[in-house]
Amino acid sequence: MKIAVPRESEAVETRVAATPDTVKKLIALGATVSVEKGAGTNSRIPDADFEAAGATIAADAAATLADADVVLKVRRPNADELKAIKKGALVIATMDPHGNEDDVKAMAKAGVTAFAMEFMPRITRAQVMDVLSSQANLAGYQAVIEGAAEYDRAMPMMMTAAGTVPAARVFVMGAGVAGLQAIATARRLGAVVTATDVRPAAKEQVESLGAKFVAVEDEEFKQAETAGGYAKQMSEEYQKKQAELVASHITKQDIVITTALIPGRPAPKLVSKEMVASMKPGSVLVDLAVERGGNVDGAKPGKVAMVGGVKIVGHLNMAGRVGASASALYAKNLFAFLETMVDKEAKVLKPNWEDELVTATVLTRDGKVVHPAFAEASS
């Protein structure tokens, strides 16, 4: 059983799909591990550390992927990588299939068995495999760090002989995993924090972290959560009322962090041009949904935009900006999932195709797109 860990080809990607710790665990399962030269450089993992853990360092992607039974990646394989991966190999990564259906079909045509880690069901046994949570947690943390770096004032209140510096006011929009970590981080830095979310359960979580909850708490708000714990799309009437409340609140804020994403849909617009214009010069917005169209009007992917004295931070791959930490968590997520598909006595791959973890995440198999969300579109 050969496991391959190629270097990520995307320019903004700093993460790697394995660490020396997970390499040791993979070898203990009976695998040989091939890591492409320089794969861990941007995550502060030198090739020597992978070698010391028992991996073989391959010169390039083709050598890394040759005859691999399992390919571990951060992002889905590109066309060149697909050519080097043998038919029937398992490819485990965050596939980002929504809006990239042609790439999903390409993986099916290449004959690989592709697993989308972001489709991992949110059940107890899968918590250790939840890449969305592990990466969103770090993205929420880093959003506050980036916001504080762009904000040219101190974050905590400081009382000095020369006068008092007021605490920064931070408003977090969306109190999922990223939002909650953003709240906690901003609180640690001494900011006065408020937050909003359309899910009723979020109010208690926000308040437990010492932040004030801001929302229109009507009947629709009380029903606004799916069985999986995700936010629902709200009615236009509710969105209007919520926007009015947010508009009056946002004018007083120094830093706004937006985290709202609905799986499979473009990011909802939460902050309009008018709201941005109402903010004080020197204020900062950090848009964590910029890769899906953005929550903030005027956000530019990969850039810090200046709009009338207000900075809008649109960094791509926020978790990747703390690549060493993100890789450590992501690699453990992948190992925990792969481990369930290995026969530990025979030390061979043996996926249980009836396992709910497998059925929920498998995108392509035997030359076909098999995930129900994409199979119909493919046919």
Side-chain angles (χ1 to χ4, degrees), residues 103-122:
D103 291 331
V104 175
K105 292 177 189 176
M107 289 190 290
K109 187 176 180 181
V112 303
T113 302
F115 293 90
M117 286 297 292
E118 62 266 54
F119 288 167
M120 191 64 65
R122 287 189 160 174

Side-chain angles (χ1 to χ4, degrees), residues 295-325:
N295 299 141
V296 180
D297 218 335
K300 295 183 179 179
K303 296 182 179 179
V304 178
M306 180 70 79
V307 180
V310 176
K311 292 180 180 179
I312 305 176
V313 179
H315 293 318
L316 300 172
N317 188 22
M318 191 65 82
R321 295 178 75 83
V322 276
S325 298

Side-chain angles (χ1 to χ4, degrees), residues 13-341:
E13 190 52 75
T14 62
R15 295 169 291 178
V16 63
T19 63
D21 180 53
T22 62
V23 164
K24 290 177 184 176
K25 292 177 179 178
L26 291 168
I27 291 171
L29 291 178
T32 58
V33 180
S34 177
V35 177
E36 185 178 352
K37 182 180 179 181
T41 300
N42 292 330
S43 290
R44 301 182 189 175
I45 307 173
D47 292 340
D49 287 4
F50 280 120
E51 281 190 296
T56 299
I57 303 301
D60 54 30
T64 306
L65 297 167
D67 297 319
D69 302 294
V70 179
V71 178
L72 301 180
K73 289 191 90 279
V74 177
R75 301 184 184 230
R76 68 176 177 273
N78 60 30
D80 290 335
E81 289 169 327
L82 281 176
K83 292 175 185 176
I85 300 172
K86 72 177 183 181
K87 286 188 177 182
L90 308 189
V91 181
I92 306 173
T94 48
M95 295 295 181
D96 189 25
H98 292 291
N100 296 297
E101 286 79 5
D102 287 344
D103 291 331
V104 175
K105 292 177 189 176
M107 289 190 290
K109 187 176 180 181
V112 303
T113 302
F115 293 90
M117 286 297 292
E118 62 266 54
F119 288 167
M120 191 64 65
R122 287 189 160 174
I123 56 177
T124 302
R125 66 181 283 237
Q127 285 181 340
V128 68
M129 310 166 200
D130 188 352
V131 298
L132 290 181
S133 292
S134 74
Q135 302 305 290
N137 192 49
L138 286 166
Y141 160 82
Q142 189 63 18
V144 176
I145 301 302
E146 299 289 348
E150 296 293 345
Y151 181 61
D152 60 358
R153 297 173 179 83
M155 291 287 280
M157 182 178 75
M158 296 182 180
M159 299 179 71
T160 74
T164 300
V165 177
R169 294 180 178 272
V170 176
F171 182 40
V172 179
M173 303 182 74
V177 174
L180 291 173
Q181 183 57 250
I183 292 167
T185 303
R187 287 278 295 158
R188 290 188 198 106
L189 291 178
V192 174
V193 185
T194 53
T196 189
D197 196 283
V198 296
R199 295 170 299 122
K203 180 178 181 180
E204 185 178 345
Q205 295 170 318
V206 165
E207 291 176 345
S208 72
L209 292 171
K212 182 182 178 183
F213 192 70
V214 177
V216 176
E217 298 183 44
D218 61 9
E219 196 59 35
E220 183 178 357
F221 170 79
K222 295 173 184 176
Q223 305 296 324
E225 190 169 344
T226 67
Y230 295 101
K232 280 184 180 178
Q233 184 77 27
M234 304 298 283
S235 69
E236 287 186 17
E237 183 183 355
Y238 182 89
Q239 288 182 42
K240 184 179 179 181
K241 289 189 290 185
Q242 178 71 359
E244 289 172 355
L245 177 63
V246 168
S248 63
H249 184 70
I250 214 169
T251 60
K252 308 163 192 170
Q253 304 306 304
D254 299 306
I255 298 174
V256 176
I257 297 168
T258 66
T259 70
L261 277 173
I262 300 170
R265 298 193 183 192
K269 289 296 180 188
L270 302 180
V271 182
S272 66
K273 288 180 181 178
E274 292 74 21
M275 293 179 190
V276 174
S278 75
M279 297 181 74
K280 296 170 289 186
S283 300
V284 179
L285 295 111
V286 183
D287 191 341
L288 284 181
V290 70
E291 293 181 49
R292 280 287 178 186
N295 299 141
V296 180
D297 218 335
K300 295 183 179 179
K303 296 182 179 179
V304 178
M306 180 70 79
V307 180
V310 176
K311 292 180 180 179
I312 305 176
V313 179
H315 293 318
L316 300 172
N317 188 22
M318 191 65 82
R321 295 178 75 83
V322 276
S325 298
S327 294
L329 299 183
Y330 182 78
K332 288 178 182 176
N333 293 146
L334 263 59
F335 170 77
F337 180 47
L338 178 58
E339 186 182 25
T340 68
M341 295 189 282

